[in-house]
Every structure is written in structure tokens, then in C-alpha cells.
Short mmCIF file of all heavy atoms in Angstrom, two decimals:
data_model
loop_
_atom_site.label_atom_id
_atom_site.label_comp_id
_atom_site.label_asym_id
_atom_site.label_seq_id
_atom_site.Cartn_x
_atom_site.Cartn_y
_atom_site.Cartn_z
N LEU A 1191 -5.95 4.86 4.64
CA LEU A 1191 -6.30 6.28 4.76
C LEU A 1191 -7.83 6.41 5.00
O LEU A 1191 -8.23 7.26 5.79
CB LEU A 1191 -5.91 7.03 3.48
CG LEU A 1191 -4.44 7.20 3.24
CD1 LEU A 1191 -4.18 7.78 1.85
CD2 LEU A 1191 -3.83 8.10 4.29
N VAL A 1192 -8.59 5.59 4.32
CA VAL A 1192 -10.02 5.66 4.54
C VAL A 1192 -10.42 5.26 5.98
O VAL A 1192 -11.22 5.95 6.61
CB VAL A 1192 -10.75 4.73 3.53
CG1 VAL A 1192 -12.25 4.64 3.80
CG2 VAL A 1192 -10.53 5.22 2.09
N GLU A 1193 -9.75 4.25 6.47
CA GLU A 1193 -10.01 3.86 7.87
C GLU A 1193 -9.54 4.90 8.83
O GLU A 1193 -10.00 4.95 9.99
CB GLU A 1193 -9.39 2.48 8.17
CG GLU A 1193 -10.06 1.35 7.42
CD GLU A 1193 -9.37 0.03 7.66
OE1 GLU A 1193 -8.45 -0.03 8.51
OE2 GLU A 1193 -9.74 -0.94 6.97
N GLY A 1194 -8.63 5.77 8.41
CA GLY A 1194 -8.10 6.83 9.24
C GLY A 1194 -8.90 8.11 9.15
O GLY A 1194 -8.55 9.11 9.76
N GLY A 1195 -9.99 8.13 8.36
CA GLY A 1195 -10.85 9.29 8.30
C GLY A 1195 -10.94 10.01 6.97
O GLY A 1195 -11.74 10.92 6.83
N CYS A 1196 -10.16 9.60 5.98
CA CYS A 1196 -10.25 10.24 4.67
C CYS A 1196 -11.39 9.61 3.88
O CYS A 1196 -11.69 8.43 4.04
CB CYS A 1196 -8.96 10.02 3.89
SG CYS A 1196 -7.51 10.82 4.55
N SER A 1197 -11.98 10.41 3.02
CA SER A 1197 -12.94 9.84 2.07
C SER A 1197 -12.17 9.04 1.04
O SER A 1197 -10.95 9.21 0.89
CB SER A 1197 -13.73 10.96 1.39
OG SER A 1197 -12.92 11.63 0.45
N ARG A 1198 -12.88 8.17 0.30
CA ARG A 1198 -12.20 7.41 -0.71
C ARG A 1198 -11.58 8.29 -1.78
O ARG A 1198 -10.50 8.04 -2.26
CB ARG A 1198 -13.17 6.41 -1.34
CG ARG A 1198 -13.54 5.28 -0.45
CD ARG A 1198 -14.20 4.13 -1.23
NE ARG A 1198 -14.61 3.09 -0.32
CZ ARG A 1198 -13.79 2.15 0.15
NH1 ARG A 1198 -12.52 2.14 -0.20
NH2 ARG A 1198 -14.23 1.22 0.97
N ASP A 1199 -12.29 9.33 -2.15
CA ASP A 1199 -11.77 10.27 -3.15
C ASP A 1199 -10.50 10.97 -2.64
O ASP A 1199 -9.53 11.10 -3.39
CB ASP A 1199 -12.82 11.30 -3.54
CG ASP A 1199 -13.94 10.74 -4.37
OD1 ASP A 1199 -13.75 9.68 -5.02
OD2 ASP A 1199 -15.03 11.34 -4.41
N GLU A 1200 -10.53 11.36 -1.39
CA GLU A 1200 -9.32 12.04 -0.80
C GLU A 1200 -8.14 11.05 -0.77
O GLU A 1200 -7.04 11.41 -1.12
CB GLU A 1200 -9.60 12.52 0.60
CG GLU A 1200 -10.51 13.70 0.72
CD GLU A 1200 -10.89 13.99 2.18
OE1 GLU A 1200 -11.27 13.05 2.90
OE2 GLU A 1200 -10.75 15.15 2.58
N ALA A 1201 -8.43 9.83 -0.33
CA ALA A 1201 -7.38 8.85 -0.23
C ALA A 1201 -6.79 8.55 -1.62
O ALA A 1201 -5.53 8.48 -1.78
CB ALA A 1201 -7.92 7.55 0.38
N TYR A 1202 -7.65 8.44 -2.62
CA TYR A 1202 -7.17 8.20 -3.96
C TYR A 1202 -6.30 9.33 -4.44
O TYR A 1202 -5.23 9.09 -5.02
CB TYR A 1202 -8.37 7.99 -4.92
CG TYR A 1202 -7.96 7.77 -6.33
CD1 TYR A 1202 -7.63 6.51 -6.78
CD2 TYR A 1202 -7.89 8.84 -7.25
CE1 TYR A 1202 -7.24 6.31 -8.11
CE2 TYR A 1202 -7.51 8.64 -8.53
CZ TYR A 1202 -7.19 7.38 -8.98
OH TYR A 1202 -6.77 7.17 -10.27
N GLU A 1203 -6.74 10.53 -4.22
CA GLU A 1203 -5.95 11.71 -4.62
C GLU A 1203 -4.60 11.77 -3.95
O GLU A 1203 -3.58 12.05 -4.59
CB GLU A 1203 -6.75 12.98 -4.35
CG GLU A 1203 -6.08 14.25 -4.83
CD GLU A 1203 -6.91 15.48 -4.56
OE1 GLU A 1203 -8.15 15.41 -4.57
OE2 GLU A 1203 -6.28 16.54 -4.35
N ILE A 1204 -4.55 11.52 -2.66
CA ILE A 1204 -3.32 11.55 -1.88
C ILE A 1204 -2.33 10.51 -2.44
O ILE A 1204 -1.18 10.76 -2.67
CB ILE A 1204 -3.59 11.31 -0.38
CG1 ILE A 1204 -4.34 12.51 0.21
CG2 ILE A 1204 -2.30 11.03 0.38
CD1 ILE A 1204 -4.95 12.26 1.60
N VAL A 1205 -2.84 9.28 -2.61
CA VAL A 1205 -1.97 8.19 -3.12
C VAL A 1205 -1.50 8.53 -4.55
O VAL A 1205 -0.30 8.35 -4.85
CB VAL A 1205 -2.70 6.84 -3.03
CG1 VAL A 1205 -1.90 5.76 -3.75
CG2 VAL A 1205 -2.94 6.46 -1.57
N GLN A 1206 -2.42 8.97 -5.37
CA GLN A 1206 -2.03 9.25 -6.76
C GLN A 1206 -1.00 10.38 -6.85
O GLN A 1206 -0.02 10.26 -7.56
CB GLN A 1206 -3.29 9.64 -7.58
CG GLN A 1206 -3.00 9.87 -9.04
CD GLN A 1206 -4.18 10.31 -9.81
OE1 GLN A 1206 -5.02 11.05 -9.34
NE2 GLN A 1206 -4.31 9.77 -11.04
N GLN A 1207 -1.20 11.44 -6.10
CA GLN A 1207 -0.25 12.54 -6.10
C GLN A 1207 1.13 12.09 -5.64
O GLN A 1207 2.14 12.48 -6.25
CB GLN A 1207 -0.75 13.70 -5.23
CG GLN A 1207 -1.89 14.46 -5.82
CD GLN A 1207 -2.46 15.51 -4.89
OE1 GLN A 1207 -2.11 15.57 -3.69
NE2 GLN A 1207 -3.40 16.33 -5.37
N ASN A 1208 1.17 11.34 -4.59
CA ASN A 1208 2.47 10.86 -4.09
C ASN A 1208 3.11 9.83 -4.98
O ASN A 1208 4.35 9.82 -5.14
CB ASN A 1208 2.33 10.33 -2.64
CG ASN A 1208 2.23 11.44 -1.65
OD1 ASN A 1208 3.22 12.12 -1.36
ND2 ASN A 1208 1.04 11.72 -1.11
N ALA A 1209 2.34 9.01 -5.62
CA ALA A 1209 2.85 8.02 -6.56
C ALA A 1209 3.49 8.73 -7.76
O ALA A 1209 4.58 8.38 -8.20
CB ALA A 1209 1.81 7.03 -6.99
N LEU A 1210 2.79 9.70 -8.29
CA LEU A 1210 3.31 10.46 -9.45
C LEU A 1210 4.57 11.23 -9.07
O LEU A 1210 5.55 11.30 -9.83
CB LEU A 1210 2.26 11.38 -10.01
CG LEU A 1210 1.07 10.66 -10.70
CD1 LEU A 1210 -0.02 11.68 -11.06
CD2 LEU A 1210 1.52 9.90 -11.90
N LYS A 1211 4.56 11.82 -7.88
CA LYS A 1211 5.73 12.57 -7.39
C LYS A 1211 6.91 11.62 -7.25
O LYS A 1211 8.06 11.96 -7.56
CB LYS A 1211 5.42 13.25 -6.09
CG LYS A 1211 6.49 14.16 -5.59
CD LYS A 1211 6.01 14.91 -4.35
CE LYS A 1211 7.08 15.88 -3.84
NZ LYS A 1211 6.65 16.57 -2.63
N ALA A 1212 6.67 10.41 -6.75
CA ALA A 1212 7.73 9.40 -6.58
C ALA A 1212 8.32 9.06 -7.95
O ALA A 1212 9.55 8.96 -8.08
CB ALA A 1212 7.20 8.15 -5.92
N LEU A 1213 7.48 8.92 -8.95
CA LEU A 1213 7.99 8.62 -10.29
C LEU A 1213 8.78 9.77 -10.88
O LEU A 1213 9.84 9.61 -11.43
CB LEU A 1213 6.83 8.29 -11.23
CG LEU A 1213 6.17 6.93 -11.05
CD1 LEU A 1213 4.90 6.83 -11.88
CD2 LEU A 1213 7.12 5.82 -11.38
N ASP A 1214 8.26 10.98 -10.72
CA ASP A 1214 8.93 12.15 -11.27
C ASP A 1214 10.24 12.49 -10.59
O ASP A 1214 11.18 12.94 -11.24
CB ASP A 1214 7.98 13.38 -11.18
CG ASP A 1214 6.78 13.28 -12.12
OD1 ASP A 1214 6.83 12.45 -13.06
OD2 ASP A 1214 5.81 14.02 -11.91
N THR A 1215 10.28 12.33 -9.28
CA THR A 1215 11.46 12.75 -8.51
C THR A 1215 12.40 11.59 -8.16
O THR A 1215 13.48 11.84 -7.64
CB THR A 1215 11.06 13.43 -7.20
OG1 THR A 1215 10.36 12.49 -6.37
CG2 THR A 1215 10.17 14.65 -7.47
N GLU A 1216 11.96 10.37 -8.44
CA GLU A 1216 12.68 9.18 -8.05
C GLU A 1216 12.92 9.08 -6.54
O GLU A 1216 13.90 8.47 -6.10
CB GLU A 1216 14.01 9.05 -8.86
CG GLU A 1216 13.73 8.90 -10.34
CD GLU A 1216 14.98 8.68 -11.14
OE1 GLU A 1216 16.09 8.53 -10.53
OE2 GLU A 1216 14.89 8.68 -12.36
N LYS A 1217 12.04 9.66 -5.77
CA LYS A 1217 12.08 9.54 -4.30
C LYS A 1217 11.23 8.38 -3.92
O LYS A 1217 10.23 8.03 -4.57
CB LYS A 1217 11.58 10.84 -3.63
CG LYS A 1217 12.51 12.01 -3.85
CD LYS A 1217 11.99 13.24 -3.11
CE LYS A 1217 12.95 14.39 -3.30
NZ LYS A 1217 12.47 15.61 -2.63
N PRO A 1218 11.55 7.75 -2.78
CA PRO A 1218 10.76 6.59 -2.33
C PRO A 1218 9.30 7.00 -2.00
O PRO A 1218 9.06 7.97 -1.31
CB PRO A 1218 11.46 6.13 -1.06
CG PRO A 1218 12.85 6.68 -1.15
CD PRO A 1218 12.71 7.97 -1.91
N PHE A 1219 8.40 6.21 -2.52
CA PHE A 1219 6.96 6.41 -2.33
C PHE A 1219 6.61 6.47 -0.82
O PHE A 1219 5.90 7.36 -0.36
CB PHE A 1219 6.17 5.32 -3.05
CG PHE A 1219 4.70 5.41 -2.94
CD1 PHE A 1219 4.03 6.58 -3.23
CD2 PHE A 1219 3.94 4.28 -2.56
CE1 PHE A 1219 2.60 6.63 -3.16
CE2 PHE A 1219 2.59 4.32 -2.50
CZ PHE A 1219 1.91 5.50 -2.78
N LEU A 1220 7.15 5.50 -0.06
CA LEU A 1220 6.90 5.44 1.36
C LEU A 1220 7.37 6.71 2.06
O LEU A 1220 6.65 7.28 2.90
CB LEU A 1220 7.57 4.24 2.01
CG LEU A 1220 7.39 4.06 3.50
CD1 LEU A 1220 5.96 4.01 3.94
CD2 LEU A 1220 8.13 2.81 3.95
N GLY A 1221 8.53 7.21 1.73
CA GLY A 1221 9.03 8.44 2.30
C GLY A 1221 8.15 9.63 2.02
O GLY A 1221 7.92 10.48 2.89
N LEU A 1222 7.67 9.70 0.80
CA LEU A 1222 6.76 10.79 0.44
C LEU A 1222 5.46 10.70 1.20
O LEU A 1222 4.92 11.75 1.71
CB LEU A 1222 6.45 10.76 -1.08
CG LEU A 1222 7.66 11.09 -1.97
CD1 LEU A 1222 7.31 10.84 -3.42
CD2 LEU A 1222 8.06 12.55 -1.75
N LEU A 1223 4.91 9.51 1.37
CA LEU A 1223 3.69 9.36 2.18
C LEU A 1223 3.94 9.77 3.63
O LEU A 1223 3.07 10.47 4.23
CB LEU A 1223 3.21 7.90 2.12
CG LEU A 1223 2.62 7.43 0.78
CD1 LEU A 1223 2.29 5.96 0.83
CD2 LEU A 1223 1.37 8.26 0.41
N LYS A 1224 5.05 9.36 4.19
CA LYS A 1224 5.37 9.70 5.58
C LYS A 1224 5.51 11.23 5.75
O LYS A 1224 5.22 11.74 6.86
CB LYS A 1224 6.64 9.01 6.04
CG LYS A 1224 6.44 7.55 6.34
CD LYS A 1224 7.72 6.92 6.82
CE LYS A 1224 7.57 5.46 7.18
NZ LYS A 1224 8.81 4.89 7.73
N SER A 1225 5.95 11.91 4.73
CA SER A 1225 6.12 13.35 4.87
C SER A 1225 4.90 14.16 4.50
O SER A 1225 4.91 15.39 4.61
CB SER A 1225 7.33 13.82 4.06
OG SER A 1225 7.08 13.69 2.68
N ASP A 1226 3.86 13.51 4.05
CA ASP A 1226 2.63 14.18 3.65
C ASP A 1226 1.76 14.43 4.88
O ASP A 1226 1.35 13.43 5.52
CB ASP A 1226 1.88 13.36 2.60
CG ASP A 1226 0.73 14.09 1.99
OD1 ASP A 1226 -0.01 14.82 2.70
OD2 ASP A 1226 0.51 13.93 0.74
N PRO A 1227 1.50 15.65 5.24
CA PRO A 1227 0.70 15.91 6.45
C PRO A 1227 -0.74 15.34 6.41
O PRO A 1227 -1.30 14.99 7.45
CB PRO A 1227 0.66 17.45 6.56
CG PRO A 1227 1.16 17.97 5.30
CD PRO A 1227 1.90 16.87 4.60
N ARG A 1228 -1.27 15.18 5.21
CA ARG A 1228 -2.60 14.56 5.09
C ARG A 1228 -2.56 13.12 5.47
O ARG A 1228 -3.51 12.58 6.07
CB ARG A 1228 -3.12 14.70 3.63
CG ARG A 1228 -3.24 16.18 3.20
CD ARG A 1228 -3.49 16.27 1.73
NE ARG A 1228 -2.41 15.67 0.97
CZ ARG A 1228 -2.39 15.55 -0.36
NH1 ARG A 1228 -3.43 15.94 -1.08
NH2 ARG A 1228 -1.35 15.00 -0.96
N VAL A 1229 -1.47 12.42 5.13
CA VAL A 1229 -1.34 11.02 5.51
C VAL A 1229 -1.09 10.91 7.00
O VAL A 1229 -1.65 10.04 7.69
CB VAL A 1229 -0.17 10.37 4.70
CG1 VAL A 1229 0.06 8.93 5.22
CG2 VAL A 1229 -0.46 10.40 3.23
N ALA A 1230 -0.28 11.84 7.54
CA ALA A 1230 0.06 11.81 8.97
C ALA A 1230 -1.15 11.96 9.85
O ALA A 1230 -1.21 11.42 10.98
CB ALA A 1230 1.08 12.91 9.30
N LYS A 1231 -2.17 12.64 9.34
CA LYS A 1231 -3.43 12.76 10.11
C LYS A 1231 -4.18 11.45 10.24
O LYS A 1231 -4.89 11.22 11.19
CB LYS A 1231 -4.35 13.77 9.43
CG LYS A 1231 -3.95 15.24 9.56
CD LYS A 1231 -4.78 16.07 8.63
CE LYS A 1231 -5.53 17.13 9.39
NZ LYS A 1231 -6.32 17.98 8.46
N ALA A 1232 -3.97 10.57 9.24
CA ALA A 1232 -4.73 9.34 9.21
C ALA A 1232 -3.92 8.11 9.64
O ALA A 1232 -4.49 7.16 10.16
CB ALA A 1232 -5.26 9.13 7.79
N LEU A 1233 -2.60 8.12 9.41
CA LEU A 1233 -1.77 6.97 9.67
C LEU A 1233 -0.47 7.35 10.33
O LEU A 1233 0.17 8.34 9.88
CB LEU A 1233 -1.48 6.21 8.39
CG LEU A 1233 -2.64 5.55 7.65
CD1 LEU A 1233 -2.19 5.15 6.26
CD2 LEU A 1233 -3.14 4.35 8.41
N SER A 1234 -0.04 6.57 11.27
CA SER A 1234 1.26 6.82 11.87
C SER A 1234 2.36 6.26 10.99
O SER A 1234 2.09 5.36 10.14
CB SER A 1234 1.34 6.12 13.25
OG SER A 1234 1.41 4.69 13.07
N PRO A 1235 3.63 6.73 11.13
CA PRO A 1235 4.69 6.16 10.35
C PRO A 1235 4.84 4.65 10.55
O PRO A 1235 5.12 3.90 9.61
CB PRO A 1235 5.91 6.91 10.87
CG PRO A 1235 5.38 8.22 11.34
CD PRO A 1235 4.04 7.88 11.93
N ASP A 1236 4.62 4.17 11.78
CA ASP A 1236 4.70 2.72 12.01
C ASP A 1236 3.61 1.99 11.26
O ASP A 1236 3.86 0.90 10.77
CB ASP A 1236 4.57 2.45 13.51
CG ASP A 1236 5.80 2.86 14.30
OD1 ASP A 1236 6.90 3.04 13.68
OD2 ASP A 1236 5.71 3.00 15.54
N SER A 1237 2.41 2.53 11.18
CA SER A 1237 1.34 1.92 10.45
C SER A 1237 1.68 1.81 8.97
O SER A 1237 1.43 0.81 8.32
CB SER A 1237 0.02 2.70 10.59
OG SER A 1237 -0.42 2.69 11.89
N LEU A 1238 2.28 2.85 8.44
CA LEU A 1238 2.70 2.82 7.04
C LEU A 1238 3.81 1.77 6.83
O LEU A 1238 3.74 1.02 5.84
CB LEU A 1238 3.27 4.21 6.61
CG LEU A 1238 2.21 5.25 6.30
CD1 LEU A 1238 2.89 6.63 6.17
CD2 LEU A 1238 1.46 4.91 5.07
N ASP A 1239 4.72 1.65 7.76
CA ASP A 1239 5.76 0.62 7.63
C ASP A 1239 5.15 -0.75 7.55
O ASP A 1239 5.57 -1.56 6.74
CB ASP A 1239 6.74 0.69 8.81
CG ASP A 1239 7.65 1.91 8.74
OD1 ASP A 1239 7.89 2.42 7.61
OD2 ASP A 1239 8.16 2.33 9.81
N VAL A 1240 4.17 -1.00 8.37
CA VAL A 1240 3.50 -2.32 8.37
C VAL A 1240 2.83 -2.54 7.02
O VAL A 1240 2.91 -3.66 6.44
CB VAL A 1240 2.49 -2.45 9.52
CG1 VAL A 1240 1.62 -3.67 9.39
CG2 VAL A 1240 3.22 -2.45 10.85
N LEU A 1241 2.16 -1.56 6.49
CA LEU A 1241 1.48 -1.68 5.19
C LEU A 1241 2.43 -1.98 4.06
O LEU A 1241 2.06 -2.61 3.07
CB LEU A 1241 0.64 -0.45 4.90
CG LEU A 1241 -0.56 -0.21 5.81
CD1 LEU A 1241 -1.13 1.21 5.55
CD2 LEU A 1241 -1.60 -1.28 5.59
N PHE A 1242 3.68 -1.50 4.19
CA PHE A 1242 4.64 -1.68 3.12
C PHE A 1242 5.52 -2.88 3.33
O PHE A 1242 6.41 -3.14 2.54
CB PHE A 1242 5.50 -0.42 3.00
CG PHE A 1242 4.86 0.63 2.12
CD1 PHE A 1242 3.84 1.40 2.61
CD2 PHE A 1242 5.32 0.85 0.83
CE1 PHE A 1242 3.23 2.37 1.79
CE2 PHE A 1242 4.75 1.81 0.02
CZ PHE A 1242 3.68 2.56 0.49
N GLU A 1243 5.27 -3.70 4.34
CA GLU A 1243 6.01 -4.93 4.58
C GLU A 1243 5.50 -6.02 3.63
O GLU A 1243 4.36 -6.44 3.77
CB GLU A 1243 5.88 -5.40 6.03
CG GLU A 1243 6.77 -4.70 7.00
CD GLU A 1243 8.25 -4.97 6.75
OE1 GLU A 1243 8.58 -6.11 6.45
OE2 GLU A 1243 8.99 -4.00 6.90
N PRO A 1244 6.32 -6.52 2.73
CA PRO A 1244 5.88 -7.53 1.78
C PRO A 1244 5.42 -8.81 2.49
O PRO A 1244 4.51 -9.47 2.01
CB PRO A 1244 7.09 -7.81 0.92
CG PRO A 1244 8.08 -6.77 1.19
CD PRO A 1244 7.71 -6.07 2.49
N GLN A 1245 6.01 -9.15 3.61
CA GLN A 1245 5.63 -10.37 4.32
C GLN A 1245 4.17 -10.35 4.72
O GLN A 1245 3.56 -11.42 4.78
CB GLN A 1245 6.50 -10.55 5.58
CG GLN A 1245 7.93 -10.81 5.30
CD GLN A 1245 8.75 -9.59 4.95
OE1 GLN A 1245 8.26 -8.46 5.09
NE2 GLN A 1245 9.95 -9.79 4.48
N SER A 1246 3.59 -9.19 4.91
CA SER A 1246 2.17 -9.09 5.24
C SER A 1246 1.31 -9.69 4.13
O SER A 1246 0.20 -10.15 4.41
CB SER A 1246 1.77 -7.65 5.47
OG SER A 1246 2.51 -7.06 6.47
N TYR A 1247 1.81 -9.63 2.91
CA TYR A 1247 1.02 -10.08 1.78
C TYR A 1247 1.39 -11.49 1.29
O TYR A 1247 0.68 -12.06 0.51
CB TYR A 1247 1.19 -9.07 0.63
CG TYR A 1247 0.74 -7.69 1.05
CD1 TYR A 1247 1.70 -6.73 1.48
CD2 TYR A 1247 -0.56 -7.36 1.15
CE1 TYR A 1247 1.31 -5.49 1.90
CE2 TYR A 1247 -1.00 -6.12 1.58
CZ TYR A 1247 -0.04 -5.19 1.96
OH TYR A 1247 -0.43 -3.95 2.42
N PHE A 1248 2.51 -11.97 1.74
CA PHE A 1248 2.97 -13.29 1.33
C PHE A 1248 2.61 -14.41 2.25
O PHE A 1248 2.86 -15.57 2.01
CB PHE A 1248 4.50 -13.29 1.15
CG PHE A 1248 4.97 -12.36 0.08
CD1 PHE A 1248 6.19 -11.70 0.25
CD2 PHE A 1248 4.25 -12.09 -1.05
CE1 PHE A 1248 6.69 -10.84 -0.74
CE2 PHE A 1248 4.69 -11.21 -2.01
CZ PHE A 1248 5.91 -10.60 -1.85
N GLY A 1249 1.99 -14.08 3.34
CA GLY A 1249 1.69 -15.09 4.41
C GLY A 1249 0.83 -16.25 3.94
O GLY A 1249 0.97 -17.36 4.45
N HIS A 1250 0.01 -16.07 2.92
CA HIS A 1250 -0.91 -17.12 2.51
C HIS A 1250 -0.58 -17.61 1.10
O HIS A 1250 -1.39 -18.31 0.49
CB HIS A 1250 -2.35 -16.58 2.54
CG HIS A 1250 -2.79 -16.12 3.90
ND1 HIS A 1250 -3.05 -17.02 4.89
CD2 HIS A 1250 -2.97 -14.90 4.40
CE1 HIS A 1250 -3.39 -16.34 5.98
NE2 HIS A 1250 -3.35 -15.07 5.73
N LEU A 1251 0.60 -17.31 0.59
CA LEU A 1251 0.93 -17.72 -0.74
C LEU A 1251 0.97 -19.25 -0.87
O LEU A 1251 0.48 -19.75 -1.90
CB LEU A 1251 2.34 -17.16 -1.16
CG LEU A 1251 2.33 -15.77 -1.66
CD1 LEU A 1251 3.73 -15.34 -2.06
CD2 LEU A 1251 1.39 -15.57 -2.81
N ASP A 1252 1.46 -19.97 0.07
CA ASP A 1252 1.49 -21.41 -0.01
C ASP A 1252 0.08 -21.99 -0.19
O ASP A 1252 -0.15 -22.84 -1.03
CB ASP A 1252 2.15 -22.04 1.20
CG ASP A 1252 3.65 -21.78 1.28
OD1 ASP A 1252 4.23 -21.45 0.22
OD2 ASP A 1252 4.20 -21.90 2.36
N TYR A 1253 -0.82 -21.46 0.60
CA TYR A 1253 -2.22 -21.92 0.55
C TYR A 1253 -2.82 -21.59 -0.87
O TYR A 1253 -3.44 -22.42 -1.49
CB TYR A 1253 -3.04 -21.24 1.61
CG TYR A 1253 -4.53 -21.40 1.44
CD1 TYR A 1253 -5.16 -22.60 1.73
CD2 TYR A 1253 -5.30 -20.36 0.92
CE1 TYR A 1253 -6.54 -22.75 1.53
CE2 TYR A 1253 -6.65 -20.51 0.74
CZ TYR A 1253 -7.28 -21.71 1.03
OH TYR A 1253 -8.62 -21.84 0.86
N LEU A 1254 -2.53 -20.37 -1.36
CA LEU A 1254 -3.09 -19.96 -2.64
C LEU A 1254 -2.50 -20.77 -3.79
O LEU A 1254 -3.22 -21.20 -4.69
CB LEU A 1254 -2.86 -18.46 -2.88
CG LEU A 1254 -3.61 -17.51 -1.92
CD1 LEU A 1254 -3.15 -16.12 -2.14
CD2 LEU A 1254 -5.09 -17.65 -2.13
N TYR A 1255 -1.17 -20.98 -3.76
CA TYR A 1255 -0.59 -21.79 -4.79
C TYR A 1255 -1.15 -23.22 -4.79
O TYR A 1255 -1.43 -23.79 -5.85
CB TYR A 1255 0.94 -21.85 -4.66
CG TYR A 1255 1.62 -20.64 -5.14
CD1 TYR A 1255 2.61 -20.02 -4.38
CD2 TYR A 1255 1.33 -20.05 -6.38
CE1 TYR A 1255 3.31 -18.88 -4.85
CE2 TYR A 1255 1.97 -18.91 -6.84
CZ TYR A 1255 2.96 -18.34 -6.06
OH TYR A 1255 3.65 -17.23 -6.52
N GLU A 1256 -1.25 -23.77 -3.59
CA GLU A 1256 -1.78 -25.15 -3.50
C GLU A 1256 -3.21 -25.19 -4.06
O GLU A 1256 -3.54 -26.10 -4.83
CB GLU A 1256 -1.81 -25.58 -2.03
CG GLU A 1256 -2.23 -27.00 -1.85
CD GLU A 1256 -2.21 -27.40 -0.39
OE1 GLU A 1256 -1.27 -27.00 0.31
OE2 GLU A 1256 -3.17 -28.06 0.03
N LYS A 1257 -3.99 -24.21 -3.76
CA LYS A 1257 -5.39 -24.18 -4.20
C LYS A 1257 -5.46 -24.06 -5.73
O LYS A 1257 -6.21 -24.77 -6.40
CB LYS A 1257 -6.16 -23.06 -3.54
CG LYS A 1257 -7.64 -23.06 -3.76
CD LYS A 1257 -8.28 -22.04 -2.90
CE LYS A 1257 -9.78 -22.12 -3.13
NZ LYS A 1257 -10.52 -21.25 -2.25
N VAL A 1258 -4.68 -23.17 -6.29
CA VAL A 1258 -4.68 -22.94 -7.73
C VAL A 1258 -4.12 -24.16 -8.46
O VAL A 1258 -4.69 -24.63 -9.47
CB VAL A 1258 -3.82 -21.66 -8.07
CG1 VAL A 1258 -3.62 -21.60 -9.57
CG2 VAL A 1258 -4.54 -20.42 -7.56
N LEU A 1259 -2.99 -24.67 -8.00
CA LEU A 1259 -2.40 -25.80 -8.72
C LEU A 1259 -3.24 -27.07 -8.59
O LEU A 1259 -3.25 -27.89 -9.49
CB LEU A 1259 -0.95 -26.05 -8.15
CG LEU A 1259 0.00 -24.94 -8.46
CD1 LEU A 1259 1.34 -25.20 -7.78
CD2 LEU A 1259 0.17 -24.72 -9.95
N LYS A 1260 -3.97 -27.21 -7.52
CA LYS A 1260 -4.85 -28.38 -7.30
C LYS A 1260 -5.93 -28.36 -8.35
O LYS A 1260 -6.33 -29.36 -8.88
CB LYS A 1260 -5.43 -28.33 -5.90
CG LYS A 1260 -5.76 -29.71 -5.36
CD LYS A 1260 -6.39 -29.58 -4.00
CE LYS A 1260 -5.44 -30.05 -2.94
NZ LYS A 1260 -6.05 -30.10 -1.61
N ASN A 1261 -6.46 -27.16 -8.65
CA ASN A 1261 -7.53 -27.01 -9.61
C ASN A 1261 -7.10 -27.18 -11.04
O ASN A 1261 -7.88 -27.42 -11.92
CB ASN A 1261 -8.24 -25.65 -9.46
CG ASN A 1261 -9.06 -25.58 -8.18
OD1 ASN A 1261 -9.50 -26.61 -7.65
ND2 ASN A 1261 -9.22 -24.38 -7.64
N GLU A 1262 -5.78 -27.03 -11.34
CA GLU A 1262 -5.29 -27.18 -12.68
C GLU A 1262 -5.10 -28.62 -13.09
O GLU A 1262 -5.15 -28.99 -14.27
CB GLU A 1262 -3.96 -26.45 -12.84
CG GLU A 1262 -4.09 -25.01 -13.18
CD GLU A 1262 -2.76 -24.41 -13.57
OE1 GLU A 1262 -1.85 -25.15 -14.03
OE2 GLU A 1262 -2.63 -23.22 -13.50
N CYS A 1263 -4.86 -29.52 -12.15
CA CYS A 1263 -4.57 -30.92 -12.47
C CYS A 1263 -5.81 -31.70 -12.73
O CYS A 1263 -6.85 -31.52 -12.41
CB CYS A 1263 -3.80 -31.55 -11.32
SG CYS A 1263 -2.17 -30.76 -11.12
#
């Protein structure tokens, strides 16, 4: 959101509001973000999909595990 033009405070507020709404209503967080016009101004639905893809964050796990486990022995 920040890279899309929101201030850090705005981005924090948007994410926090949608996260709390997701908890209260049991609606998917991603769906709430996609339907929020403030988010739509900064990020496309496809961009949000990419951000929510777990594989984006798991790409370097093998390297990280190897590094951590190497330092333990």
C-alpha cells in the first residue's frame, strides 16, 4: 500500500481495519482488501493475489534452514 501511494499510517489503518473486520465477520481478509476502495487505489486485485501467495515467501526456506542448522552444529 505504501508503494502504491498510501502513507504508512494510512496503510496500517487500512490493514488493521480489514483484519479486525475479517475476524469479526469471519470473511476472508483478502476478499475484504479487494473490496476496499482505498486498497483498490493502490493495488490491483492481481497484485494482492501475488502478495497472498505463500510460495512467494517459501522460496528461500531451504537456504534459511541450511544456514540456521549449520550454525547449530
Side-chain angles (χ1 to χ4, degrees):
L1191 290 171
V1192 173
E1193 291 177 8
C1196 293
S1197 71
R1198 288 196 182 278
D1199 288 339
E1200 289 172 312
Y1202 178 84
E1203 183 178 329
I1204 292 167
V1205 170
Q1206 183 182 40
Q1207 287 174 352
N1208 282 288
L1210 292 173
K1211 187 175 182 180
L1213 286 172
D1214 290 342
T1215 63
E1216 297 185 6
K1217 291 184 179 178
F1219 181 51
L1220 178 57
L1222 292 171
L1223 289 174
K1224 285 182 176 182
S1225 66
D1226 190 320
R1228 300 170 298 175
V1229 175
K1231 287 170 121 176
L1233 294 167
S1234 71
D1236 288 341
S1237 296
L1238 283 169
D1239 287 336
V1240 169
L1241 292 171
F1242 275 76
E1243 279 295 320
Q1245 292 79 11
S1246 302
Y1247 302 99
F1248 297 146
H1250 300 287
L1251 278 181
D1252 290 341
Y1253 168 77
L1254 294 172
Y1255 282 135
E1256 183 179 320
K1257 189 172 183 174
V1258 169
L1259 294 175
K1260 207 182 253 188
N1261 289 333
E1262 273 191 24
C1263 296

